[in-house]
Amino acid sequence: MTELTCPFCGGKLEPDKKNSNIEICNPCNKKYIVECIYSQATGENRIELRLVPEKMAYEPVEKKESKKTGWEPYGWKRGVALVILFFVLMGMMYGPKVYQRYQMDHGGMQTEAGQEDVPIREP
């Protein structure tokens, strides 16, 4: 195995105890990522060193709360829509019967023959 040297100061690189893919230069305290690259043109492996960045440019982003649409679980729009749907279905199911009862109570109920019931007058 070849001994790796630091490209900046020429010091000897030693493997990091926490990560075997990283080499550390003790004199200049720089860290390098070691990559073994196979070249198909020459048929040889070559070792490439990349400098590990000191700090990442990272700024935490505040999580934005999503806009409420009202259709979330337990949302008020869903509740209103369900109440309206309930009344529409009840109207479709019981509406004709209620109308028929209304006609009976207020006179003018149609018979099966299609003629109105006319009250009989006594002389």
Side-chain angles (χ1 to χ4, degrees):
M1 182 169 181
T2 60
E3 188 173 299
L4 298 174
T5 58
C6 176
F8 284 105
C9 69
K12 181 180 172 186
L13 296 178
E14 296 179 10
D16 187 10
K17 293 176 179 138
K18 296 177 185 174
N19 188 346
S20 62
N21 293 329
I22 294 181
E23 300 280 330
I24 300 173
C25 176
N26 287 330
C28 65
N29 203 23
K30 295 197 183 285
K31 294 181 181 181
Y32 296 95
I33 298 173
V34 179
E35 288 184 305
C36 184
I37 300 173
Y38 176 75
S39 173
Q40 290 183 349
T42 61
E44 296 177 355
N45 288 332
R46 74 171 201 261
I47 295 176
E48 192 172 293
L49 298 174
R50 285 190 297 139
L51 190 61
V52 176
E54 296 289 327
K55 289 184 179 180
M56 293 182 75
Y58 171 75
E59 293 181 20
V61 178
E62 290 183 25
K63 186 177 178 183
K64 292 183 180 179
E65 192 168 325
S66 62
K67 184 178 176 183
K68 301 275 185 181
T69 61
W71 290 105
E72 296 83 16
Y74 309 111
W76 67 271
K77 288 181 182 177
R78 180 177 288 173
V80 170
L82 288 174
V83 168
I84 291 171
L85 179 64
F86 172 77
F87 282 110
V88 167
L89 289 176
M90 290 297 116
M92 289 172 53
M93 289 172 46
Y94 297 109
K97 292 178 184 176
V98 170
Y99 182 71
Q100 193 176 32
R101 177 66 186 209
Y102 174 80
Q103 289 293 334
M104 284 175 51
D105 290 344
H106 292 88
M109 173 71 181
Q110 300 232 346
T111 61
E112 292 179 14
Q115 299 173 353
E116 275 192 40
D117 289 337
V118 179
I120 301 173
R121 292 188 186 178
E122 290 185 28

